[in-house]
Amino acid sequence: MKISARNNLKGTVKKIIPGVVSTEVTLEIAPGVEVVSVITKSSADQMHLSIGKEAYMVIKATDVMVGVD
Amino acid sequence: MKISARNNLKGTVKKIIPGVVSTEVTLEIAPGVEVVSVITKSSADQMHLSIGKEAYMVIKATDVMVGVD
Amino acid sequence: MKISARNNLKGTVKKIIPGVVSTEVTLEIAPGVEVVSVITKSSADQMHLSIGKEAYMVIKATDVMVGVD
Amino acid sequence: MKISARNNLKGTVKKIIPGVVSTEVTLEIAPGVEVVSVITKSSADQMHLSIGKEAYMVIKATDVMVGVD
Amino acid sequence: MKISARNNLKGTVKKIIPGVVSTEVTLEIAPGVEVVSVITKSSADQMHLSIGKEAYMVIKATDVMVGVD
Amino acid sequence: MKISARNNLKGTVKKIIPGVVSTEVTLEIAPGVEVVSVITKSSADQMHLSIGKEAYMVIKATDVMVGVD
């Protein structure tokens, strides 16, 4: 499926912290650049995520803020 | 200000498309890796964003989804 | 791509309202049940959405609220 | 209260998974069509949600993505 | 309707900026404290929002970040 | 860092409920006006939040809905 979310960042799973309802997943999307996601535990289980696996961070453009120093 | 958003991706402004209420901003956060954001036009104006300027993409972890092939 | 968003609602495109930066898309996902989405105009254009086309509404579980009368 | 969220999908509570901070709630909004929500446990408790109860899924249009095959 | 969004901030409409698809609405929720919202133009029209009218800002807890100096 | 999120509401931490992955934080932003946030436990820990501490609620304008009676 092609999705309207403008951001698809390819990376490698670095860390998985499972909770009761939510699971925290960290991907490295470029050398030294990590993105953290919180998804439902069910989704994480269904996708069989594991350390070292290739995956994508998918983010809707309206959910991205811009910061400047 | 230090913010609870887990994701702060440093990059360079590549493209700005202003609308009436919303503005679309694209940053390159690693060579060949771009992230697109839609913010209010007022915010974009107040931050004086321009092509080539250094900026950050700030994303709350609960707004990030994970995809696998 | 398989995505962690828990909600994938299949439907038919009923209405498209293009703006400058954003486009509003309405899908009928069951007889008489419509879901409205606002995505970037670029995404709408890239997916070649048109009235009557089959599509999906994809929604992250943390973005869904519950209401009771 | 009338709310600006464009999507109000009426349904029946099918499943409730309580966590420590978050609770996952599943509604059937049309025959065979389910929507999953993650809300705070406090909200779920205050609304006295239970299996079989009638409820609504409320979703802001900017939180809905569109997918095509 | 009672909704699971944890935050309902009562206030007065101070400013309305209509766009093509989106409308920006500003409420004063306490003396000198304003909250800005971007909703679809259709929603704003259907709610007959106008300057000075009483309204609420409704925000899901997972959409609120915390910052410290 | 200056951020594009239009809403920065200054307040005092009133309550903290830690979960496994998520933590719920309540701030009083005006006398009698509280805002509830759910952030990752890691963020809460890193910011050393505690009762009585001064903090901000940061909210993107597209995540704010409007309600009327």
Side-chain angles (χ1 to χ4, degrees), chain C:
Chain C
M1 188 173 63
K2 193 178 179 321
I3 197 169
S4 65
R6 293 291 296 282
N7 301 298
N8 288 272
L9 308 172
K10 196 180 181 168
T12 309
V13 178
K14 283 287 162 185
K15 197 162 59 173
I16 300 174
I17 305 176
V20 183
V21 163
S22 307
T23 289
E24 185 179 312
V25 180
T26 304
L27 254 76
E28 185 177 59
I29 57 162
V33 183
E34 294 189 345
V35 177
V36 179
S37 164
V38 172
I39 59 177
T40 56
K41 195 179 172 302
S42 307
S43 285
D45 292 349
Q46 280 169 26
M47 293 195 301
H48 305 294
L49 293 176
S50 56
I51 307 298
K53 191 171 178 174
E54 191 173 272
Y56 297 83
M57 284 310 195
V58 182
I59 311 157
K60 200 171 188 303
T62 43
D63 286 333
V64 180
M65 290 162 285
V66 179
V68 289
D69 279 326

Side-chain angles (χ1 to χ4, degrees), chain A residues 6-7 9 24-25 29-30 33-39 47 49 53-69, chain B residues 6-7 9 24-25 29-30 33-39 47 49 53-69:
Chain A
R6 293 291 295 282
N7 301 297
L9 307 172
E24 185 179 312
V25 181
I29 56 162
V33 182
E34 294 189 346
V35 177
V36 179
S37 164
V38 173
I39 59 178
M47 293 195 301
L49 294 175
K53 189 170 178 173
E54 189 174 274
Y56 297 82
M57 284 310 194
V58 181
I59 312 156
K60 199 170 187 305
T62 42
D63 287 332
V64 180
M65 289 161 285
V66 179
V68 289
D69 280 324
Chain B
R6 292 291 296 283
N7 300 298
L9 308 172
E24 185 180 312
V25 180
I29 57 161
V33 183
E34 294 189 345
V35 177
V36 179
S37 164
V38 172
I39 59 177
M47 293 195 300
L49 293 175
K53 190 170 178 174
E54 190 173 272
Y56 298 82
M57 284 310 195
V58 181
I59 311 157
K60 201 170 186 304
T62 43
D63 286 333
V64 180
M65 290 161 285
V66 179
V68 289
D69 280 325

Side-chain angles (χ1 to χ4, degrees), chain A residues 20-31:
Chain A
V20 183
V21 163
S22 306
T23 290
E24 185 179 312
V25 181
T26 304
L27 253 75
E28 186 178 57
I29 56 162

Side-chain angles (χ1 to χ4, degrees), chain D residues 2-49:
Chain D
K2 193 177 178 325
I3 197 171
S4 65
R6 292 290 298 281
N7 301 296
N8 288 272
L9 308 172
K10 196 177 181 171
T12 308
V13 178
K14 284 286 163 186
K15 198 161 58 173
I16 299 173
I17 305 175
V20 183
V21 164
S22 306
T23 290
E24 185 180 312
V25 181
T26 304
L27 253 75
E28 186 178 56
I29 57 161
V33 182
E34 294 188 347
V35 176
V36 180
S37 164
V38 172
I39 59 177
T40 56
K41 194 177 174 304
S42 308
S43 285
D45 292 350
Q46 280 168 25
M47 293 196 301
H48 305 294
L49 294 175

